[in-house]
Amino acid sequence: MTQENSADLIRMSWAKAMASREMVAMMFYRKLFQLRPDLEPLFKNDIDEQGRKLVDTLSFIVDSLDDPDGLLSAASDLATRHVSYGVSADQYAPVGEALIMTLSELLGSDFTEAEKNAWLETYTTLSSHMISSAYGED
């Protein structure tokens, strides 16, 4: 799969998800806290506001897929901020899992295997970069 094709698949699935913008955040945090209840205390602020930030960040990622250097730079900055919030490297995996679960549940059969794989590939690349930037790990 080409990078361009992958970006198109992500854009198409994200456009479908944005038809239920508020549901994305609500479902994501529900799934994340089911997977890792120990993460809930990290979210000290208004969860609705946090959900808006999550959706805005995901939208930024989708909009930046054609600018990998800019996207990786922004991801590094975000990773550094996450360290100050108490996020550890091992917490990136359940976030990715919750994201895929959310998109799968929200979109149902409209979330194709190709779209899922495109999201997984992109999340793995970004999270690996963020972990390396913030913690010096791969």
Side-chain angles (χ1 to χ4, degrees):
M1 179 181 317
T2 67
Q3 184 176 359
E4 178 182 331
N5 196 11
S6 185
D8 289 342
L9 290 168
I10 290 170
R11 284 186 197 99
M12 287 187 309
S13 57
W14 189 242
K16 290 182 273 187
M18 285 298 83
S20 302
R21 183 180 176 97
E22 293 78 24
M23 289 295 295
V24 171
M26 184 188 77
M27 291 174 73
F28 171 82
Y29 286 110
R30 186 180 74 230
K31 298 214 174 288
L32 181 62
F33 300 150
Q34 285 171 347
L35 290 169
R36 290 284 303 268
D38 61 304
L39 298 183
E40 196 164 357
L42 290 175
F43 297 88
K44 300 173 181 112
N45 298 326
D46 176 19
I47 199 71
D48 292 332
E49 177 62 26
Q50 184 63 40
R52 285 187 286 280
K53 289 179 183 179
L54 169 75
V55 171
D56 288 347
T57 299
L58 289 170
S59 293
F60 172 80
I61 291 167
V62 171
D63 292 343
S64 299
L65 291 171
D66 293 328
D67 179 17
D69 292 336
L71 181 54
L72 291 176
S73 176
S76 293
D77 293 342
L78 182 61
T80 301
R81 287 196 308 275
H82 276 81
V83 171
S84 70
Y85 305 146
V87 173
S88 60
D90 70 310
Q91 294 168 337
Y92 280 80
V95 168
E97 189 176 348
L99 176 61
I100 297 303
M101 290 169 65
T102 297
L103 292 170
S104 293
E105 184 176 318
L106 184 67
L107 301 177
S109 62
D110 284 341
F111 191 52
T112 67
E113 195 66 26
E115 289 169 335
K116 176 182 175 183
N117 290 335
W119 277 97
L120 285 168
E121 179 184 325
T122 299
Y123 184 81
T124 299
T125 298
L126 282 176
S127 63
S128 295
H129 179 78
M130 291 173 75
I131 290 167
S132 179
S133 294
Y135 310 100
E137 301 175 20
D138 289 321

